Amino acid sequence: MYTVTDLDRDLSVLEAQGAKIFTVGYSELGRPIKGIFKGRTDGPQLLVQGAIHAREWVTAQLCVLLAERYEGECGLWCVPMSNPDGVMLAQYGLDSVANAEKRDFLYGINGYSDDFSLWKANARAVDLNVNFNALWGTGRSNVTYPAPGNYIGPYPFSESESRALATFTDKVRPRFTVSYHARGRVIYYGFNGANPDPQIPRIASASTGYPAYTSEGSAGGYKDWFVLTTYRAGITVEVGTEGTPYDELQKQLPSMLAENSGLLQALDSEARKSL
Ligand SMILES: [Zn+2]
């Protein structure tokens, strides 16, 4: 596993090595959403985020490892675990929820099963990556009721986690964003027919070896919102082999790391080229 405690420990190590640790906000259950900053605050900035989907917690560990290795000149703002409540739920089930009423609610939503390992949403059963204000509610897989995944929430930005990430992104004004998800070893780019910085998916594809596709039928995601509101490139990178059980993806970390270790450096060079 890679838990909130593991993340805290790794952040302390990185801080001791000179990285800055920041908090973008708090989850619905009050857990801090922490990040790592490296590089320079002047000039172009990059933002990388992971584990917005609970069961994809392996991407939090990948983000930490990538931030640790980053040596670019752009400022790198890395938010490894955007959905800490969901990750806790996927890993520890209802034991991670203190409030009895919330536990009962989540148990029912999960089909009265104690196994939350396939949970995608946050602790209010909202899928954060369809809760952003980008053609909200029009996505192909959207559902309009609380669920383990794909529930858009009552209105855009109804969730503290999506609000925190958006507010923070507005503040940083990154040149490019990378969102780590699992699985498929594929890159998605653009939104609703828009493809700003078309060289970015090409560069990312060359660097990782993953094919890059325009995202069809997607709405309300972090990447969707970033592309729509800034007209800059945001990409979604899906790591891990399709079909691998989520709780076994951690075994693929060495190959994930090898495939993704050049990506941030490539984006760093590209961001500085466009100055
Ligand atoms: Zn995902």
Side-chain angles (χ1 to χ4, degrees), residues 53 56 181-182:
H53 282 146
E56 300 162 24
H181 287 255

Side-chain angles (χ1 to χ4, degrees), residues 203-243:
I203 289 168
S205 182
S207 165
T208 56
Y210 303 161
Y213 302 112
T214 55
S215 48
E216 304 293 336
S218 166
Y222 173 78
K223 181 265 295 166
D224 303 334
W225 169 82
F226 180 74
V227 172
L228 180 71
T229 56
T230 67
Y231 208 73
R232 293 175 171 186
I235 57 171
T236 293
V237 181
E238 301 270 1
V239 296
T241 309
E242 193 62 63

